[in-house]
Amino acid sequence: MNAAVQNPQPLLVLGIETSCDESGVALYHTERGLLGHRLHSQVAMHADYGGVVPELASRDHIRRVLPLTQELLTSCGHQLSDLNAIAYTQGPGLAGALLVGASIAHGLAYALNIPAIGIHHLEGHVLSPLLATPTPAFPFVALLVSGGHTQLMRVGGVGDYKLLGETVDDAAGEAFDKTAQLLGLGYPGGPQIAKLAERGKPGKFKLPRPMIGSGDFNFSFSGLKTAVLTAVRGKTLSDADKANLAAEFQAAVADVLVAKALNALEKTKLNQIVIAGGVGANLRLRAQLNQHAAQHGYQVFYPPLELCTDNGAMIALAGAMRLSAGAAVNATRAFDVRPRWELETLQRA
Ligand code: KG4
Ligand code: ZN
């Protein structure tokens, strides 16, 4: 992998992600790039409940983070004493889950006498395409599509995020998850809908493309979910019907996201766009965006597929970039977490 950070003083940064239902750790070296990462997904543990149970999530993070870190260090030929800094997700996310990562990061950093730096989870997602090659250059447009957020923004640099528009109700990933539930599929819904859609055809059912012509950069996905509910209520759908409905739903979300992304590129007069967050793993969205972008001469960048969803690598990278830019480090070692935190309030390092 490439090294997105250039720094006279090389840094080895451990990243820790525990904002929701994935325990992620990674090692990022400012000259050698991403050395490795480990992930433990809690999906199976939460599946019976149809969604994430916060208390169970926190307890599982406690069990996983240190063994994962040890395994990662060993596999990369490093030890704790080689670390120069620890980056952890400070928010937004589940308070208890965030506290696990923050406590471990600060405990280790204190013991090793190195800095710990709190990272905004969405900053991690937005910068994650820098872990792939080719690498985008600032400024660029970012389409952030995750389970909790759907935002278009102009990214001028690390800490320079100008929101262009966002969802007024459900996030795109949330719409995938809720629609999957309506179709009797498991959680998380995005990958399941995508899989089912492979066997179906869009257009057999007709779903709306909400706000596609609204002239702004906002989105609305809750009506789409209601339209799916109307299509399934009181009916016994065949497997073929379900596949067609999944295909139409996926097409509707992709149509809206692609249309607004292209508008944002036109309005900002930028020619690079990065797609980040779990829904960015959707291959139909990728194909459609790549095709339209190519027609207009725009370049599209994605994180490596496995780093679209939550992971420690994006947190390690964001920490390395901030520290390399001279980010101030909290010397008191007091820490807190920020379950609610607007990306736009961040500042440059
Ligand atoms: O970024 P992420 O891992 O977590 C948040 O920060 O929210 O995103 C998770 C979301 C879930 O809603 C999941 O259903 C969706 O990303 N997702 C997908 C796909 N893979 C994950 N949605 C559509 N297609 C996919 N292939
Ligand atoms: Zn995320």
mmCIF file of all heavy atoms in Angstrom, residues 78-106:
data_model
loop_
_atom_site.group_PDB
_atom_site.id
_atom_site.type_symbol
_atom_site.label_atom_id
_atom_site.label_comp_id
_atom_site.label_asym_id
_atom_site.label_seq_id
_atom_site.Cartn_x
_atom_site.Cartn_y
_atom_site.Cartn_z
ATOM 1 N N HIS A 78 6.381 -6.310 14.923
ATOM 2 C CA HIS A 78 6.566 -5.162 15.820
ATOM 3 C C HIS A 78 6.158 -5.516 17.240
ATOM 4 O O HIS A 78 5.505 -6.531 17.480
ATOM 5 C CB HIS A 78 5.734 -3.972 15.331
ATOM 6 C CG HIS A 78 6.403 -3.209 14.230
ATOM 7 N ND1 HIS A 78 7.537 -2.461 14.429
ATOM 8 C CD2 HIS A 78 6.087 -3.085 12.916
ATOM 9 C CE1 HIS A 78 7.903 -1.910 13.272
ATOM 10 N NE2 HIS A 78 7.048 -2.272 12.342
ATOM 11 N N GLN A 79 6.527 -4.628 18.169
ATOM 12 C CA GLN A 79 6.037 -4.764 19.541
ATOM 13 C C GLN A 79 5.530 -3.411 20.020
ATOM 14 O O GLN A 79 5.786 -2.382 19.387
ATOM 15 C CB GLN A 79 7.114 -5.314 20.452
ATOM 16 C CG GLN A 79 8.469 -4.679 20.266
ATOM 17 C CD GLN A 79 9.551 -5.528 20.913
ATOM 18 O OE1 GLN A 79 9.307 -6.653 21.333
ATOM 19 N NE2 GLN A 79 10.748 -4.981 21.004
ATOM 20 N N LEU A 80 4.827 -3.440 21.140
ATOM 21 C CA LEU A 80 4.210 -2.208 21.645
ATOM 22 C C LEU A 80 5.213 -1.062 21.740
ATOM 23 O O LEU A 80 4.905 0.083 21.418
ATOM 24 C CB LEU A 80 3.588 -2.455 23.032
ATOM 25 C CG LEU A 80 2.194 -3.088 23.070
ATOM 26 C CD1 LEU A 80 1.807 -3.401 24.510
ATOM 27 C CD2 LEU A 80 1.156 -2.172 22.428
ATOM 28 N N SER A 81 6.443 -1.394 22.185
ATOM 29 C CA SER A 81 7.432 -0.331 22.408
ATOM 30 C C SER A 81 7.878 0.343 21.102
ATOM 31 O O SER A 81 8.513 1.387 21.128
ATOM 32 C CB SER A 81 8.650 -0.895 23.152
ATOM 33 O OG SER A 81 9.156 -1.986 22.419
ATOM 34 N N ASP A 82 7.516 -0.226 19.935
ATOM 35 C CA ASP A 82 7.858 0.421 18.653
ATOM 36 C C ASP A 82 6.896 1.559 18.316
ATOM 37 O O ASP A 82 7.167 2.362 17.418
ATOM 38 C CB ASP A 82 7.795 -0.595 17.490
ATOM 39 C CG ASP A 82 8.838 -1.689 17.622
ATOM 40 O OD1 ASP A 82 9.866 -1.442 18.295
ATOM 41 O OD2 ASP A 82 8.628 -2.786 17.067
ATOM 42 N N LEU A 83 5.735 1.587 18.974
ATOM 43 C CA LEU A 83 4.713 2.578 18.598
ATOM 44 C C LEU A 83 5.163 3.993 18.937
ATOM 45 O O LEU A 83 5.776 4.236 19.972
ATOM 46 C CB LEU A 83 3.392 2.298 19.342
ATOM 47 C CG LEU A 83 2.693 0.967 19.039
ATOM 48 C CD1 LEU A 83 1.460 0.813 19.930
ATOM 49 C CD2 LEU A 83 2.309 0.904 17.565
ATOM 50 N N ASN A 84 4.793 4.942 18.038
ATOM 51 C CA ASN A 84 5.070 6.363 18.296
ATOM 52 C C ASN A 84 3.814 7.111 18.736
ATOM 53 O O ASN A 84 3.901 8.216 19.272
ATOM 54 C CB ASN A 84 5.618 7.046 17.041
ATOM 55 C CG ASN A 84 6.897 6.409 16.564
ATOM 56 O OD1 ASN A 84 6.935 5.796 15.503
ATOM 57 N ND2 ASN A 84 7.952 6.515 17.364
ATOM 58 N N ALA A 85 2.639 6.547 18.443
ATOM 59 C CA ALA A 85 1.378 7.211 18.816
ATOM 60 C C ALA A 85 0.230 6.220 18.679
ATOM 61 O O ALA A 85 0.348 5.205 17.979
ATOM 62 C CB ALA A 85 1.128 8.411 17.902
ATOM 63 N N ILE A 86 -0.873 6.549 19.351
ATOM 64 C CA ILE A 86 -2.079 5.731 19.234
ATOM 65 C C ILE A 86 -3.245 6.631 18.858
ATOM 66 O O ILE A 86 -3.481 7.673 19.497
ATOM 67 C CB ILE A 86 -2.391 4.992 20.553
ATOM 68 C CG1 ILE A 86 -1.187 4.127 20.948
ATOM 69 C CG2 ILE A 86 -3.650 4.133 20.396
ATOM 70 C CD1 ILE A 86 -1.357 3.324 22.208
ATOM 71 N N ALA A 87 -3.947 6.271 17.791
ATOM 72 C CA ALA A 87 -5.139 7.009 17.364
ATOM 73 C C ALA A 87 -6.356 6.153 17.663
ATOM 74 O O ALA A 87 -6.314 4.937 17.465
ATOM 75 C CB ALA A 87 -5.054 7.299 15.871
ATOM 76 N N TYR A 88 -7.410 6.772 18.144
ATOM 77 C CA TYR A 88 -8.627 6.008 18.459
ATOM 78 C C TYR A 88 -9.840 6.822 18.036
ATOM 79 O O TYR A 88 -9.772 8.049 17.913
ATOM 80 C CB TYR A 88 -8.698 5.692 19.971
ATOM 81 C CG TYR A 88 -8.809 6.931 20.824
ATOM 82 C CD1 TYR A 88 -10.048 7.414 21.263
ATOM 83 C CD2 TYR A 88 -7.666 7.676 21.146
ATOM 84 C CE1 TYR A 88 -10.138 8.571 22.015
ATOM 85 C CE2 TYR A 88 -7.759 8.841 21.893
ATOM 86 C CZ TYR A 88 -8.998 9.277 22.327
ATOM 87 O OH TYR A 88 -9.098 10.445 23.056
ATOM 88 N N THR A 89 -10.946 6.124 17.809
ATOM 89 C CA THR A 89 -12.176 6.819 17.430
ATOM 90 C C THR A 89 -12.786 7.464 18.669
ATOM 91 O O THR A 89 -13.175 6.770 19.608
ATOM 92 C CB THR A 89 -13.183 5.830 16.800
ATOM 93 O OG1 THR A 89 -12.534 5.168 15.725
ATOM 94 C CG2 THR A 89 -14.409 6.556 16.297
ATOM 95 N N GLN A 90 -12.886 8.796 18.624
ATOM 96 C CA GLN A 90 -13.421 9.528 19.782
ATOM 97 C C GLN A 90 -14.927 9.757 19.635
ATOM 98 O O GLN A 90 -15.620 10.038 20.595
ATOM 99 C CB GLN A 90 -12.689 10.871 19.891
ATOM 100 C CG GLN A 90 -12.961 11.594 21.197
ATOM 101 C CD GLN A 90 -12.193 12.896 21.315
ATOM 102 O OE1 GLN A 90 -11.541 13.334 20.367
ATOM 103 N NE2 GLN A 90 -12.287 13.525 22.468
ATOM 104 N N GLY A 91 -15.447 9.641 18.418
ATOM 105 C CA GLY A 91 -16.870 9.823 18.168
ATOM 106 C C GLY A 91 -17.066 10.047 16.680
ATOM 107 O O GLY A 91 -16.070 10.056 15.948
ATOM 108 N N PRO A 92 -18.284 10.192 16.189
ATOM 109 C CA PRO A 92 -19.518 9.856 16.888
ATOM 110 C C PRO A 92 -19.707 8.337 16.928
ATOM 111 O O PRO A 92 -19.032 7.615 16.216
ATOM 112 C CB PRO A 92 -20.587 10.534 16.019
ATOM 113 C CG PRO A 92 -19.983 10.658 14.661
ATOM 114 C CD PRO A 92 -18.497 10.722 14.838
ATOM 115 N N GLY A 93 -20.630 7.900 17.778
ATOM 116 C CA GLY A 93 -20.873 6.462 17.891
ATOM 117 C C GLY A 93 -21.560 6.161 19.217
ATOM 118 O O GLY A 93 -22.079 7.059 19.891
ATOM 119 N N LEU A 94 -21.537 4.898 19.591
ATOM 120 C CA LEU A 94 -22.156 4.470 20.850
ATOM 121 C C LEU A 94 -21.221 4.829 22.003
ATOM 122 O O LEU A 94 -20.039 4.456 21.982
ATOM 123 C CB LEU A 94 -22.376 2.952 20.833
ATOM 124 C CG LEU A 94 -23.245 2.418 19.692
ATOM 125 C CD1 LEU A 94 -23.177 0.891 19.646
ATOM 126 C CD2 LEU A 94 -24.678 2.897 19.860
ATOM 127 N N ALA A 95 -21.754 5.532 23.015
ATOM 128 C CA ALA A 95 -20.898 6.070 24.082
ATOM 129 C C ALA A 95 -20.065 4.980 24.756
ATOM 130 O O ALA A 95 -18.847 5.122 24.917
ATOM 131 C CB ALA A 95 -21.750 6.819 25.103
ATOM 132 N N GLY A 96 -20.707 3.890 25.159
ATOM 133 C CA GLY A 96 -19.982 2.834 25.874
ATOM 134 C C GLY A 96 -18.918 2.187 24.997
ATOM 135 O O GLY A 96 -17.800 1.905 25.457
ATOM 136 N N ALA A 97 -19.250 1.962 23.745
ATOM 137 C CA ALA A 97 -18.309 1.339 22.809
ATOM 138 C C ALA A 97 -17.111 2.265 22.571
ATOM 139 O O ALA A 97 -15.956 1.824 22.568
ATOM 140 C CB ALA A 97 -19.025 1.032 21.496
ATOM 141 N N LEU A 98 -17.385 3.546 22.413
ATOM 142 C CA LEU A 98 -16.302 4.523 22.220
ATOM 143 C C LEU A 98 -15.386 4.567 23.442
ATOM 144 O O LEU A 98 -14.157 4.659 23.318
ATOM 145 C CB LEU A 98 -16.884 5.928 21.997
ATOM 146 C CG LEU A 98 -17.610 6.161 20.667
ATOM 147 C CD1 LEU A 98 -18.409 7.468 20.734
ATOM 148 C CD2 LEU A 98 -16.624 6.216 19.501
ATOM 149 N N LEU A 99 -15.998 4.479 24.619
ATOM 150 C CA LEU A 99 -15.209 4.556 25.855
ATOM 151 C C LEU A 99 -14.214 3.404 25.968
ATOM 152 O O LEU A 99 -13.126 3.573 26.527
ATOM 153 C CB LEU A 99 -16.131 4.567 27.080
ATOM 154 C CG LEU A 99 -16.628 5.949 27.491
ATOM 155 C CD1 LEU A 99 -17.744 5.850 28.530
ATOM 156 C CD2 LEU A 99 -15.481 6.815 28.029
ATOM 157 N N VAL A 100 -14.579 2.248 25.441
ATOM 158 C CA VAL A 100 -13.648 1.107 25.489
ATOM 159 C C VAL A 100 -12.385 1.446 24.703
ATOM 160 O O VAL A 100 -11.259 1.327 25.212
ATOM 161 C CB VAL A 100 -14.300 -0.179 24.922
ATOM 162 C CG1 VAL A 100 -13.278 -1.304 24.865
ATOM 163 C CG2 VAL A 100 -15.499 -0.579 25.766
ATOM 164 N N GLY A 101 -12.561 1.903 23.452
ATOM 165 C CA GLY A 101 -11.396 2.227 22.613
ATOM 166 C C GLY A 101 -10.579 3.366 23.210
ATOM 167 O O GLY A 101 -9.339 3.312 23.232
ATOM 168 N N ALA A 102 -11.283 4.386 23.714
ATOM 169 C CA ALA A 102 -10.591 5.557 24.277
ATOM 170 C C ALA A 102 -9.787 5.150 25.516
ATOM 171 O O ALA A 102 -8.641 5.584 25.696
ATOM 172 C CB ALA A 102 -11.604 6.642 24.629
ATOM 173 N N SER A 103 -10.372 4.317 26.374
ATOM 174 C CA SER A 103 -9.677 3.916 27.607
ATOM 175 C C SER A 103 -8.443 3.086 27.287
ATOM 176 O O SER A 103 -7.372 3.287 27.876
ATOM 177 C CB SER A 103 -10.577 3.071 28.510
ATOM 178 O OG SER A 103 -11.835 3.629 28.616
ATOM 179 N N ILE A 104 -8.600 2.153 26.362
ATOM 180 C CA ILE A 104 -7.453 1.306 26.008
ATOM 181 C C ILE A 104 -6.357 2.160 25.378
ATOM 182 O O ILE A 104 -5.176 2.043 25.718
ATOM 183 C CB ILE A 104 -7.888 0.160 25.073
ATOM 184 C CG1 ILE A 104 -8.794 -0.810 25.838
ATOM 185 C CG2 ILE A 104 -6.673 -0.567 24.501
ATOM 186 C CD1 ILE A 104 -9.403 -1.917 24.998
ATOM 187 N N ALA A 105 -6.744 3.051 24.468
ATOM 188 C CA ALA A 105 -5.754 3.906 23.795
ATOM 189 C C ALA A 105 -5.004 4.751 24.821
ATOM 190 O O ALA A 105 -3.766 4.829 24.802
ATOM 191 C CB ALA A 105 -6.441 4.800 22.767
ATOM 192 N N HIS A 106 -5.740 5.363 25.726
ATOM 193 C CA HIS A 106 -5.079 6.237 26.707
ATOM 194 C C HIS A 106 -4.266 5.441 27.716
ATOM 195 O O HIS A 106 -3.196 5.887 28.142
ATOM 196 C CB HIS A 106 -6.109 7.149 27.388
ATOM 197 C CG HIS A 106 -6.411 8.354 26.557
ATOM 198 N ND1 HIS A 106 -5.659 9.517 26.596
ATOM 199 C CD2 HIS A 106 -7.353 8.563 25.618
ATOM 200 C CE1 HIS A 106 -6.132 10.382 25.723
ATOM 201 N NE2 HIS A 106 -7.175 9.833 25.121
#
